[in-house]
Amino acid sequence: MESAGARPQGLEVDVIDPGTSTADATAGSDTTSLSTADETNPQKRPTIHSRAEWGADESIRKGDPDYGEVRGAVLHHTAGVNGYSREEAPAIMRGIYEFHVNGRGWNDIGYNVLVDRFGRLWEGRAGGVDKAVIGATRRASTARPSASPRWATTTRPRRPTP
């Protein structure tokens, strides 16, 4: 990149290498690891691929998740390109995770569920897709979209009973 003007003040560049993971070998499949139907809920929910399936490095996650009460949902748009393959999606998620934890200083990836360009759902923030995990969009006032389409549940902590 070239610029005829002066270097912008406060310019920072984060370069992330998502590395490789054993999850890359199965990224093109549509296995159903977190999709269930049972007697109490006969409707099968959409397949949500686990953090392990995109190769989340649990050693960089800081602390345990916080839980609240679901009050709504936030849908973020794509901030990057959509020319990646099915097999490249896990690496993109690992890059987002690495950036959120080591670049932004968040405890975990910022969003509860990520959606790749093929419409596949992936578990984002740790704590359970069936629980009201508080995402970074609720915790960080400067949250910004990153390079992947995704859907994130926004939660508010329960107020203590007086």
Side-chain angles (χ1 to χ4, degrees):
M1 179 192 282
E2 293 182 26
S3 173
R7 184 176 126 198
Q9 289 190 4
L11 177 66
E12 292 182 26
V13 176
D14 289 297
V15 179
I16 302 294
D17 177 3
T20 59
S21 167
T22 55
D24 296 340
T26 59
S29 69
D30 283 320
T31 57
T32 57
S33 62
L34 298 176
S35 178
T36 58
D38 58 31
E39 291 176 16
T40 60
N41 183 14
Q43 297 295 327
K44 185 176 177 184
R45 69 180 185 200
T47 299
I48 303 174
H49 298 277
S50 70
R51 288 171 61 90
E53 287 179 277
W54 58 264
D57 178 358
E58 300 298 349
S59 72
I60 69 169
R61 183 168 47 90
K62 302 169 189 166
D64 295 323
D66 292 321
Y67 298 92
E69 179 180 314
V70 176
R71 299 282 179 117
V74 177
L75 179 64
H76 292 272
H77 61 81
T78 303
V81 298
N82 275 331
Y84 58 88
S85 70
R86 293 170 74 87
E87 293 76 20
E88 292 172 315
I92 292 169
M93 286 177 272
R94 288 193 304 274
I96 294 167
Y97 179 39
E98 172 80 20
F99 176 66
H100 283 181
V101 173
N102 293 322
R104 295 237 183 256
W106 297 351
N107 291 347
D108 195 351
I109 194 167
Y111 309 100
N112 299 59
V113 178
L114 294 90
V115 183
D116 66 23
R117 77 179 192 104
F118 305 99
R120 297 176 301 173
L121 303 175
W122 302 83
E123 179 181 16
R125 203 162 181 88
V129 294
D130 59 341
K131 296 179 176 65
V133 178
I134 298 173
T137 56
R138 187 71 187 131
R139 298 177 67 83
S141 61
T142 59
R144 297 181 195 151
S146 56
S148 176
R150 64 204 168 263
W151 174 84
T153 303
T154 300
T155 59
R156 292 186 183 175
R158 289 186 184 136
R159 290 197 171 137
T161 306

